Amino acid sequence: MLTISHRGQTMPASPIRKLVPYAEAAKKKGVKVYHLNIGQPDIETPKAALDAVRHADFKVLEYSHSAGNESYRRKLVQYYHSRGIEIDHTQIIVTTGGSEAILFGFMACLDAGDEVIIPEPFYANYNGFAVAADVIVKPITSHIETGFALPPISEFEKAIGPKTKAIVLCNPNNPTGYLYSREEMETLKEIIKKHNLYLFADEAYREFCYEGEHISAMHLKGVDDHVILMDTISKRYSACGGRIGALVTRNKQVYDTAMKFAQARLSPPSFAQILGEAAVDLPEDYFDATKAEYKKRRDLMVSRLNAMPGVFCPNPGGAFYAIARLPIDDADVFCQWLLESFSHDKQTVMLAPATGFYGTKGLGLNEVRLAYVLNVDDLNKAMDCLEAALKVYPGRKG
Amino acid sequence: MLTISHRGQTMPASPIRKLVPYAEAAKKKGVKVYHLNIGQPDIETPKAALDAVRHADFKVLEYSHSAGNESYRRKLVQYYHSRGIEIDHTQIIVTTGGSEAILFGFMACLDAGDEVIIPEPFYANYNGFAVAADVIVKPITSHIETGFALPPISEFEKAIGPKTKAIVLCNPNNPTGYLYSREEMETLKEIIKKHNLYLFADEAYREFCYEGEHISAMHLKGVDDHVILMDTISKRYSACGGRIGALVTRNKQVYDTAMKFAQARLSPPSFAQILGEAAVDLPEDYFDATKAEYKKRRDLMVSRLNAMPGVFCPNPGGAFYAIARLPIDDADVFCQWLLESFSHDKQTVMLAPATGFYGTKGLGLNEVRLAYVLNVDDLNKAMDCLEAALKVYPGRKG
């Protein structure tokens, strides 16, 4: 018999997308669905950047350099400099989204059976890339009570074994929105130095910090060879469909190895490199309006959530996600119920059950992730739905 | 010590790109280099398709569906129908180039240690994806004397073992240009049926057949579950930089499994999906001019090559590549020498040593791959260079 691969069987389906059929069914019934389940921002892609693509003058849509156009990489050097990250264009590989940066990082540094430590809840697709690379994810738990702060050193020490090769950190965090402090980043630095680990730093949401300052892993001193930055322009410029990211590292051996994987897939997409290059020239205050908008939404959503009886939502410092604890029996059941069996004024809300973001089975059962990617009016209506739903949900607890 | 992965060490560097520094040095010395080393066509990307991107009207560059825009997949169904391939849009995953289709196919069907049989010489990047997927490539040799026809069944039977899961076939072939006949495709069908193997069919050059008809693996009857088509628009529409391909299969289990890998990387690039969708509406005669141009080039190049003393080049039936046997000691040395130590009227030619396309060490030592991606005038000048070079090359043999 023709069989699919074991890794294909192990590969998790997207926890964010698995409820999509229920949402489609709800819409067919005439119910309006507010999508707080997915990190697709509604912010307009900057016109100047889109125009650069529209007006690009070439006759042949050629392969770019496998590391990305040199002109774009040189522009990125300027961008990173503006964020206090000093690197050279030969330390950047332009990737197909942040996704490919994760894959190349794993492939270049990790072998089958190697372990990576990731504070949970974490971005669910790390699991996918770990399966693709035959790598084992060792979760260590961060807790809603502390707002999902970095777990204590002792938890890392307990998880580190002979097969441990790396730590993955998403900062600001998806799904928790947590912004790691300078002290936490220094703590991490000591751990990776002491145990000789790579630090895979996912900073997709760098621009979106509302409390305090973003400390990049690339700011840390004395760990140049340890740090591999996995970046993307998807959220920064609301350009998710462009599929342009970057792997950035000062470790030449890792760079050269990742380049071999980059050469095998020939080149990253050309159109969105043009967009990314133009976007670096946006005025410095470009992010102010976007950040102000996200902050307003966050403040609204978090205060609405905490005003609901039995609900607790820590105030996230960055990104555009929050995790809330709800008075429910089972987040997967609840999120499906919201789409299948509930409506409020012909409207409902789609949330992501937090279970899919935990590596440890049984955690996140009464938690959901909310992405505040809707305008304030819609967000208010979505909160009205959630509030009404919690009053009548048959599996309400506590 | 921080170490890179074993698979990263094993990962081959691109045999096509490794001579690039020598080409750059030659250009710095004022030598014009004719690039016959790489499959970057000089054909203009169809303006109507580029214009579709330029005039696309949207405000937010959103993620597309993980399988690609439904409108594009429905258009692709029309395209495949025009090629005698009957499929449904739910049997297509739009991928990031043909490269990702190969990776998804391998990941969905093969586990670490599984074996795939590939007639050599073969597209070198199959090696890269095999390393990424921890899969072992078992080459079986096709020979220049037969124009690189399919090796006899007995060679397949010898190579098939308990770990063999698949055969990879590129048709028309890169690097040989060989176009497989209906009889050869039927032979392959019997092998995959008898031994229950997947057939990964790379048909990137489907449009470019100059002798006889293209028989797609998707035309074969009774092996629906076996065939996985790995396709791309890169060569078809001279849109290499778009990074749009497709995995097509009627095997639902493989499709569903590949979709999980597709979901993990979120979506294929949006801009070039617009281009690909518009390109399906190009007039049916669009390919005539391109094919006529390639055929003219092929005829010129092959006759020029065979007129050189000691050179043999079989006439390739498709794609835009040929492999020639030269009277030389070592193709890698020769190709480097062409760039480093030779010039003819301040011009030289860049070729790809065939060694990089063989899985068996020691084969291809006196063979090179030539891509006829230059206009007839330049191609003639490139042949002048090669002819002159062979007269003075110190490692000439035979």
Side-chain angles (χ1 to χ4, degrees), chain B residues 16-33:
Chain B
I16 305 166
R17 296 186 179 218
K18 71 184 174 186
L19 291 168
V20 169
Y22 299 103
E24 283 167 359
K27 287 173 197 170
K28 278 201 181 127
K29 285 193 298 183
V31 174
K32 172 152 179 68
V33 178

Side-chain angles (χ1 to χ4, degrees), chain B residues 105-106 109-110 116 166-169 198-202 226 228 230:
Chain B
F106 281 12
C109 299
L110 309 171
V116 293
I167 295 170
V168 179
L169 193 80
Y198 289 110
L199 176 58
F200 293 113
D202 178 346
H226 297 252
I228 294 146
M230 312 185 301

